[in-house]
Amino acid sequence: MVTTLPATATMLPESELSDPQSGLIPKMSARSVSVYYGAKQAVDDVSIDIQTKYVTAFIGPSGCGKSTFLRALNRMNDTIPGARVDGEIMLDGEDIYRSGMDVVHLRARVGMVFQKPNPFPKSIYENIAYGPRIHGLAEGKAELDAIVEKSLRRAGLWEEVKDRLADSGTALSGGQQQRLCIARAIAVDPEVILMDEPCSALDPIATAKIEELIDELRGRYAIVIVTHSMQQAARVSQRTAFFHLGKMVEYGKTSDIFTNPREERTKDYITGRYG
Amino acid sequence: MSPSILLLLGLGLGLAGWLAARARAWNFRRDIRNEGKGGRLAALPSYHAWYVALWIVLPVLVFAIAWSFLAPQLVTGWVLSDPAAAGLPHFGFERRAILDEAASVALGSAPGVFNPLAEGLVEPYRLAFAKVRWIGIAATLVIGFLGGASAFLRLRPEFTARTRVERTIMTVLLMASLVAILTTLGILVSLVFETIRFFGMVSPLDFLLGTHWGPDPMGNPLNPDPSRYGAIPLFWGTIYIGAIIAMFVAIPLGLMSAIFLTQYASPRWRSVLKPALEILAGVPTVVYGYFAALTVAPAIRDAAQAIGIANASSESGLAAGLVMGVMIIPFVSSMADDSIAAVPQAMRDGSLAMGATTSETIRRVLIPAALPGIVAGVMLAISRAIGETMIVVMAAGAAANLTANPLEAMTTVTFQIVAMLTGEGSFDHPATLSAFALGFVLFLVTLALNFFALRVVKRFREAYE
Amino acid sequence: MSETALPDRTGAFQARLRKRYASERRFKALGLCAVLFSVGVLAILLVTMTMNGIGGFQRAELAVPVDFSKAELAIDPQRLNDKDAIQALELAGLPLLIDNSAEQTLGRKAADELGSEAWREAARDIIADPSLLKRKAVLNLPTSKDLASALRGDGHEELRAQARDLVAKGQLARNFDPGFLARADATDAQMVGIWGALKGSMLTMFVTLLLAFPVGVLAALYLEEYAAKNRWTEIIEVSINNLAAVPSIIFGLLGLAVFLWIFPNYRSAPLIGGMTLALMTMPVIVISGRNAIKAVPPSIRDGALAIGASPVQVVFHHVLPLALPGILTGTIIGMARALGETAPLLMIGMRAFVATPPDGFTSPATALPVQIFLWSDEIDRGFVERTSAAIIILLIFLLVMNGLAIYLRNRFEKKW
């Protein structure tokens, strides 16, 4: 039976998780995290470390709890009535679920990009400028302009939209909208960017662009991406976690997971036996 | 002394506090930048500004409201303690009139006094008004300043002004939603209170079971004749007009309209006919009432006389009921529309796929499936009809006849509420108070109808979701 | 369907099919009739009101030539700018002059049928155009109500003959009466105006909007965005749903028992009327507001939350602006309903006879629908026309408001 296996049993030892090559302590670390929706348990006892300058991919069949766990990392689950999180999630050694934690500040540090592009129905400029404005990151118009330009450049959108910053963000194509949302997340200078299947609503060409962008952004942020596509996980990530039925079955280097999985279930999923 | 001056003063202080606090927050921010350690302000300068402004405006607001109740008492107290007030008559209307006169002269709203007794009181009033005004202004300044200063001194770079301001906003939102409960309570309290007073004079049994209605607003209020407070004829008239005649018109026409508009009409026809029904729903009831009295009632009387009913009255339950029915048609139609739309398309398709005609599908499948929703809609429609006032006031008549003859004048609960409260009767008279008892009955009945109807609708929706 | 499928080819089946189609057609025709009935009633109602109402914008007027240059009213032209210019003209002998002029050209009997307020109209003409005092002019002055009804064909035969005679001479006619839109209530149908009631309605609506809109919108935001699912929230929701269906007259009783108890001096005042109607309108705004807020897609909220906007910022920066057109549509519809509301205003005394337009929120006033109700009780034929004219004005206002709501709905309705 699947459920009898302790989730931590198959994990890499702690020492291996904190990547010895980088010599960094993890940016975020989760310990025995469970998430409940009312009485239903969606995530069961997950522990994981997330490093800066790496792309970490969460893969697994639908309903396996990978998106739920992702939303727990910046407390977006708070918006769902009845959602409850047990365990401990640390950001730079600080528990993000401790009482008195300013959720607003947390989300400025841990940004998120959603499955479906959701630009605000405002101008492109306002879409980017909103975050810096509410966080007081810019003093005066010139600084704000600079942030907008920098964010759009990093998201690889600047050349396409620089002449129409006043146009509505919703008028862009799907791929452009998603890059706008990434630029919007970058604009508040986060440390971690969470991406919840960012390409699932996009065509292959737009997907390729986003994947390219993720690779470029990796140098600066810790990126966590939930994806349905194993090819995508293999292409963009350095670390992969496989989720199944709310548990994290296996976590390790992406190359190891795809070429040499330790768990039978991981192997079954990767080879397409189910999912 | 109007509270608006104090409020304006408070707003002015608030603006000053806002500007000062924002300037201070900008300074914090500059200091942090100059230090160059990369820290930042815990909240935007504008939130610091709003925090201080709220600490000024809210206390002033509370004070202004309290003061507007307290100030007149103080003025009267001071004036009465003046020696010139010694000569006033001790009680009643005259004393009040003299005081009012002196006060209005002192305020400059009347040119001069007529009553010599008031003459001596003008000056004390003037002094008292001036005193109250200056105390009010001084207190506002002190309160505003203290509130602002205490808030201002709390400002720090790490002060979480946003959280504080947002907590205030949330409180305001919560209070806004509590207005609904307060209104409901207000209705209950005002109705129950006066109803209890009424039942102290006329027994509830006489009221609920008596068959003769004819309160005498000029009679002795201490010794009312309970046999004149039997509300059965009113209940009957209300039910007969609102729940029988009106529904006789509204249910078939409303239902058939909904069916035609949703199942048969082409989009073009629908785009013309639906707004027409909406206009019908938007016509004010006073216009329907006038239409009933001016056009429909005489037409019915003439028609009745033409077929040989000589004593047909020009005010009849039939006219009021028919027009009320027309008024309710759009309501029934839109409720039926919603219910039919809630029936899953698959059910309709299933019936059509077996070769049933559209009308067979509607009669055998759609209507039975949508029936709970339609019944709930009819209940809501009845609750509207029995609470409707102007049509019956203008067309149904005042005579409390216990009759089933639609051509006779009959009266309703709402009509009698209007009649009892727009007369010259005193507020302590059982005739006046009976209006509140009638209102209470009406409130309870409509409440029950709505409550059950909404529950039925909810359950019905859930069944198909 | 293959040729050998038998049952539907039998004669009995065909006959039944024909019958079923006939019943289908009957059913459809019945539906059409139901809709057409409603449309027909609406048409009859509008036509009746228009036919009667056109007369309401007119009144019977006698053409009275007055030679002011010859009469030389003893009045300083400067006085005409004063507030009491009408009294000054009265003292200078204007009423007598008008009466004499009327007698000269129309005869004594017709001069007696000049309305008792006719000289005031003349005075207003003079104040509007002081140069009148130096020349001869033909003034159209209102007749008495008896002559007005004689002109309409009612009343004594003698007076009717006189009216016919005056009409034949071109001295009596029904003229468009712009003053109807500028005057207030009066006892004489010839002299009434709608402005007093209209102004009362506007003041009342202003108070209603000022109270109901913010409270309604804030309550809707709270319930839709923040309220936890608990017993209190449920009580609030039940209260709002029930208040939306409570008969309007009950709100009148509340206004009478609570508001007039707190402010006993403000009987008949637009302030109290507005407060009462605000309680009635607030639930409508809350319900439509909640629907508009619900229509804002959650992805917008997620997007804003994810870059660190606080829940209050999410609502006031994103949700509220996007929901505003929908909220406004609901508000306008609620206000239109309040504008047509009569019964609650009767309860709080806004049925007083108010002969001057109200000059503030606390002065006695009446409202347009109440005015209609009051006039409808008058027996004089003149009032029937005036009532219909007032109804036309009310309906025009409602049509404009509803039109605006539909426009807003279509213009800003977003498909997400």
Side-chain angles (χ1 to χ4, degrees):
Chain A
M1 271 309 283
V2 180
T3 44
T4 53
L5 283 167
T8 42
T10 59
M11 274 185 55
L12 294 166
E14 288 285 313
S15 56
E16 265 189 68
L17 276 175
S18 306
D19 201 292
Q21 291 159 326
S22 68
L24 290 169
I25 54 161
K27 188 78 202 167
M28 294 192 88
S29 56
R31 288 294 169 268
S32 325
V33 171
S34 298
V35 184
Y36 302 85
Y37 292 133
K40 192 178 157 265
Q41 185 167 14
V43 172
D44 186 3
D45 196 23
V46 170
S47 299
I48 191 171
D49 284 346
I50 288 157
Q51 304 282 11
T52 296
K53 304 199 177 187
Y54 280 87
V55 176
T56 307
F58 292 173
I59 59 171
S62 352
C64 68
K66 56 192 192 301
S67 285
T68 304
F69 181 65
L70 188 78
R71 289 173 71 95
L73 294 179
N74 71 343
R75 294 187 58 174
M76 281 301 282
N77 278 330
D78 290 12
T79 60
I80 299 165
R84 188 164 55 83
V85 176
D86 279 355
E88 181 169 81
I89 300 178
M90 312 288 251
L91 173 63
D92 283 340
E94 196 185 7
D95 185 2
I96 65 170
Y97 280 92
R98 77 186 153 81
S99 68
M101 178 75 202
D102 187 357
V103 183
V104 164
H105 193 209
L106 167 70
R107 291 188 192 135
R109 293 173 67 193
V110 184
M112 188 161 194
V113 175
F114 297 86
Q115 200 167 358
K116 234 182 105 205
N118 57 349
F120 303 133
K122 300 180 183 223
S123 71
I124 293 171
Y125 183 93
E126 285 301 321
N127 262 285
I128 311 291
Y130 179 69
R133 214 177 258 150
I134 58 170
H135 292 300
L137 299 184
E139 205 165 330
K141 177 95 171 93
E143 277 186 39
L144 197 57
D145 287 353
I147 292 180
V148 170
E149 181 175 344
K150 191 178 75 184
S151 310
L152 284 171
R153 275 191 195 284
R154 278 199 195 152
L157 197 58
W158 175 252
E159 292 302 325
E160 293 163 58
V161 301
K162 64 181 176 191
D163 300 323
R164 47 185 183 127
L165 291 176
D167 288 8
S168 171
T170 50
L172 296 172
S173 75
Q176 287 174 322
Q177 285 188 14
Q178 194 61 299
R179 277 181 286 151
L180 180 67
C181 291
I182 293 174
R184 185 174 72 184
I186 293 172
V188 294
D189 221 2
E191 295 153 39
V192 182
I193 301 177
L194 310 175
M195 297 187 176
D196 188 358
E197 302 188 30
C199 302
S200 67
L202 304 181
D203 61 65
I205 294 171
T207 301
K209 276 200 169 152
I210 301 274
E211 287 180 3
E212 212 173 291
L213 174 59
I214 292 173
D215 205 47
E216 279 164 27
L217 293 174
R218 168 163 77 93
R220 218 175 266 276
Y221 312 98
I223 294 177
V224 184
I225 177 170
V226 163
T227 177
H228 247 112
S229 142
M230 282 172 284
Q231 291 84 345
Q232 184 170 57
R235 279 195 301 266
V236 302
S237 73
Q238 290 76 47
R239 295 284 178 274
T240 296
F242 171 60
F243 284 72
H244 185 232
L245 295 173
K247 290 182 193 293
M248 191 175 74
V249 177
E250 188 168 352
Y251 178 40
K253 285 186 180 157
T254 301
S255 47
D256 292 350
I257 296 271
F258 281 98
T259 53
N260 189 19
R262 245 171 301 180
E263 280 287 320
E264 200 60 27
R265 279 175 291 165
T266 316
K267 201 164 151 192
D268 287 350
Y269 181 65
I270 286 167
T271 52
R273 296 270 290 277
Y274 64 92
Chain B
M1 183 71 200
S2 73
S4 52
I5 298 170
L6 300 186
L7 283 181
L8 282 178
L9 202 62
L11 287 180
L13 283 175
L15 181 64
W18 193 89
L19 291 170
R22 201 177 62 151
R24 188 168 161 85
W26 278 105
N27 274 342
F28 289 149
R29 185 145 136 178
R30 199 169 43 240
D31 292 348
I32 291 173
R33 290 214 167 195
N34 290 344
E35 275 175 32
K37 283 186 197 153
R40 59 183 204 212
L41 221 50
L44 291 181
S46 65
Y47 282 108
H48 287 86
W50 280 114
Y51 177 71
V52 173
L54 284 173
W55 263 97
I56 296 173
V57 174
L58 290 181
V60 167
L61 181 70
V62 172
F63 170 74
I65 292 172
W67 191 243
S68 68
F69 282 97
L70 196 64
Q73 314 276 340
L74 285 177
V75 168
T76 318
W78 285 330
V79 169
L80 290 180
S81 66
D82 191 274
L88 278 176
H90 277 287
F91 298 106
F93 185 70
E94 202 184 347
R95 180 187 170 96
R96 196 65 256 163
I98 293 169
L99 286 174
D100 283 348
E101 196 182 335
S104 57
V105 173
L107 284 173
S109 55
V113 291
F114 293 101
N115 194 318
L117 270 173
E119 184 82 62
L121 290 172
V122 171
E123 205 45 39
Y125 256 116
R126 202 166 284 160
L127 285 174
F129 279 133
K131 212 157 132 193
V132 160
R133 185 176 314 130
W134 288 118
I135 292 177
I137 289 174
T140 303
L141 288 174
V142 170
I143 290 172
F145 186 77
L146 285 181
S150 68
F152 192 81
L153 292 177
R154 248 169 274 158
L155 300 187
R156 295 275 181 281
E158 66 278 6
F159 182 67
T160 51
R162 179 179 53 74
T163 326
R164 310 294 181 97
V165 171
E166 289 185 344
R167 215 174 288 155
T168 314
I169 294 177
M170 292 299 283
T171 314
V172 171
L173 291 185
L174 176 65
M175 283 181 358
S177 63
L178 289 182
V179 169
I181 294 188
L182 278 182
T183 310
T184 309
L185 278 182
I187 290 176
L188 271 176
V189 167
S190 53
L191 291 179
V192 167
F193 187 71
E194 308 289 349
T195 304
I196 289 174
R197 278 177 69 195
F198 173 69
F199 284 150
M201 304 175 189
V202 175
S203 107
L205 281 182
D206 288 330
F207 174 71
L208 290 174
L209 302 175
T211 55
H212 172 63
W213 179 264
D216 174 16
M218 293 301 140
N220 179 4
L222 296 177
N223 187 19
D225 176 4
S227 70
R228 301 179 71 133
Y229 287 92
I232 290 281
L234 311 188
F235 298 151
W236 167 245
T238 307
I239 290 169
Y240 195 50
I241 292 176
I244 297 177
I245 302 179
M247 288 307 125
F248 204 73
V249 176
I251 294 173
L253 287 172
L255 196 54
M256 286 310 291
S257 298
I259 288 170
F260 182 78
L261 288 176
T262 54
Q263 309 294 325
Y264 288 111
S266 66
R268 243 184 75 201
W269 271 94
R270 195 157 48 229
S271 71
V272 177
L273 292 175
K274 224 171 164 188
L277 276 186
E278 279 169 11
I279 293 178
L280 207 59
V283 172
T285 55
V286 71
V287 176
Y288 278 117
Y290 188 61
F291 181 62
L294 184 80
T295 313
V296 179
I300 287 174
R301 183 198 53 206
D302 294 346
Q305 279 167 354
I307 59 167
I309 305 167
N311 62 349
S313 123
S314 68
E315 289 179 323
S316 64
L318 187 60
L322 287 180
V323 173
M324 199 185 277
V326 171
M327 182 190 89
I328 300 283
I329 289 175
F331 186 79
V332 174
S333 163
S334 87
M335 292 297 293
D337 193 335
D338 290 350
S339 310
I340 292 173
V343 176
Q345 181 71 21
M347 266 195 206
R348 220 185 109 188
D349 291 349
S351 167
L352 289 176
M354 290 171 59
T357 63
T358 313
S359 70
E360 284 160 353
T361 305
I362 293 167
R363 277 181 297 187
R364 305 268 168 82
V365 178
L366 283 189
I367 299 216
L371 201 58
I374 295 173
V375 169
V378 168
M379 281 165 82
L380 288 176
I382 291 177
S383 117
R384 276 202 153 192
I386 64 176
E388 168 45 40
T389 310
M390 294 322 291
I391 294 177
V392 290
V393 166
M394 293 166 88
N401 292 325
L402 193 53
T403 170
N405 178 359
L407 294 173
E408 260 184 78
M410 54 180 76
T411 192
T412 68
V413 170
T414 50
F415 182 102
Q416 290 302 321
I417 294 176
V418 171
M420 293 299 136
L421 287 176
T422 52
E424 298 303 317
S426 111
F427 220 79
D428 299 318
H429 197 282
T432 314
L433 292 176
S434 70
F436 287 91
L438 290 172
F440 192 45
V441 173
L442 180 64
F443 179 70
L444 289 182
V445 171
T446 51
L447 202 67
L449 281 170
N450 290 322
F451 189 74
F452 284 116
L454 288 180
R455 285 188 67 144
V456 171
V457 169
K458 208 171 157 196
R459 203 167 297 165
F460 166 67
R461 292 274 149 76
E462 280 162 2
Y464 288 126
E465 252 165 25
Chain C
M1 188 93 34
S2 83
E3 288 298 316
T4 50
L6 281 175
D8 61 323
R9 290 285 177 273
T10 61
F13 187 93
Q14 293 295 336
R16 204 158 52 239
L17 200 60
R18 270 196 298 281
K19 253 169 110 178
R20 285 170 61 199
Y21 274 128
S23 126
E24 169 79 21
R25 277 191 299 276
R26 277 198 304 278
F27 193 72
K28 188 176 172 182
L30 220 56
L32 183 61
C33 287
V35 180
L36 289 183
F37 174 81
S38 302
V39 176
V41 172
L42 181 66
I44 293 173
L45 190 147
L46 292 180
V47 167
T48 317
M49 294 307 153
T50 316
M51 301 246 289
N52 279 315
I54 287 171
F57 290 102
Q58 302 172 327
R59 67 174 173 187
E61 289 179 331
L62 283 165
V64 181
V66 187
D67 191 350
F68 290 103
S69 60
K70 220 187 276 172
E72 285 184 358
L73 285 176
I75 185 157
D76 178 4
Q78 289 300 319
R79 288 280 281 132
L80 293 180
N81 297 326
D82 292 352
K83 249 187 180 170
D84 57 346
I86 292 183
Q87 282 91 315
L89 283 165
E90 185 178 15
L91 286 175
L94 182 66
L96 197 66
L97 172 65
I98 300 291
D99 192 48
N100 288 341
S101 310
E103 185 172 0
Q104 272 173 28
T105 45
L106 309 174
R108 183 67 250 158
K109 261 176 69 186
D112 285 342
E113 291 303 332
L114 214 48
S116 56
E117 300 278 294
W119 67 270
R120 278 182 197 273
E121 302 268 317
R124 275 188 210 109
D125 289 346
I126 293 170
I127 290 165
D129 178 14
S131 72
L132 271 180
L133 285 175
K134 300 191 185 66
R135 57 188 160 91
K136 199 173 162 177
V138 179
L139 301 178
N140 286 319
L141 299 175
T143 69
S144 72
K145 63 179 172 202
D146 293 337
L147 189 60
S149 61
L151 179 61
R152 221 174 277 120
D154 304 330
H156 281 295
E157 177 49 41
E158 190 186 344
L159 210 53
R160 293 217 302 265
Q162 188 188 4
R164 277 194 297 274
D165 187 36
L166 286 166
V167 170
K169 281 194 246 162
Q171 287 163 329
L172 176 64
R174 289 178 62 79
N175 298 330
F176 175 64
D177 175 23
F180 180 64
L181 299 174
R183 291 184 305 254
D185 202 3
T187 47
D188 180 352
Q190 286 277 78
M191 298 305 298
V192 297
I194 200 65
W195 173 238
L198 198 58
K199 195 173 172 195
S201 269
M202 285 174 176
L203 292 171
T204 308
M205 286 300 108
F206 184 77
V207 176
T208 303
L209 187 64
L210 210 65
L211 293 174
F213 183 68
V215 173
V217 172
L218 294 179
L221 285 176
Y222 179 78
L223 291 174
E224 204 52 49
E225 294 287 324
Y226 302 120
K229 286 259 166 288
N230 58 24
R231 181 191 281 266
W232 274 105
T233 310
E234 206 173 307
I235 293 177
I236 295 175
E237 287 184 345
V238 169
S239 299
I240 287 174
N241 286 337
N242 279 323
L243 283 180
V246 164
S248 62
I249 194 167
I250 302 284
F251 287 97
L253 291 175
L254 170 73
L256 176 64
V258 176
F259 293 153
L260 283 184
W261 174 64
I262 300 176
F263 307 102
N265 297 329
Y266 294 160
R267 215 181 149 74
S268 310
L271 179 67
I272 303 295
M275 285 163 70
T276 308
L277 292 184
L279 294 184
M280 220 186 80
T281 312
M282 192 260 302
V284 180
I285 296 180
V286 175
I287 290 171
S288 66
R290 289 186 70 170
N291 288 333
I293 293 166
K294 226 179 269 174
V296 175
S299 70
I300 299 284
R301 295 179 183 85
D302 282 350
L305 282 172
I307 46 176
S310 70
V312 171
Q313 287 170 331
V314 170
V315 164
F316 284 90
H317 294 167
H318 297 281
V319 176
L320 186 57
L322 293 174
L324 207 55
I327 297 176
L328 285 181
T329 308
T331 305
I332 295 173
I333 289 170
M335 292 298 290
R337 233 172 80 179
L339 177 62
E341 200 53 71
T342 320
L345 300 182
L346 290 181
M347 296 291 96
I348 55 152
M350 286 186 82
R351 67 197 303 279
F353 176 76
V354 183
T356 49
D359 49 9
F361 292 108
T362 53
S363 49
T366 183
L368 198 45
V370 183
Q371 188 75 78
I372 291 168
F373 170 63
L374 292 175
W375 285 352
S376 75
D377 250 8
E378 302 279 343
I379 301 148
D380 184 1
R381 262 296 288 173
F383 271 108
V384 173
E385 293 180 339
R386 296 295 201 183
T387 310
S388 305
I391 285 175
I392 290 177
I393 289 177
L394 178 61
L395 289 180
I396 287 174
F397 267 88
L398 293 178
L399 211 65
V400 169
M401 287 171 84
N402 283 310
L404 192 66
I406 292 169
Y407 170 79
L408 267 177
R409 190 168 65 196
N410 294 343
R411 172 83 175 66
F412 292 101
E413 193 175 48
K414 280 210 178 83
K415 297 269 183 282
W416 299 97

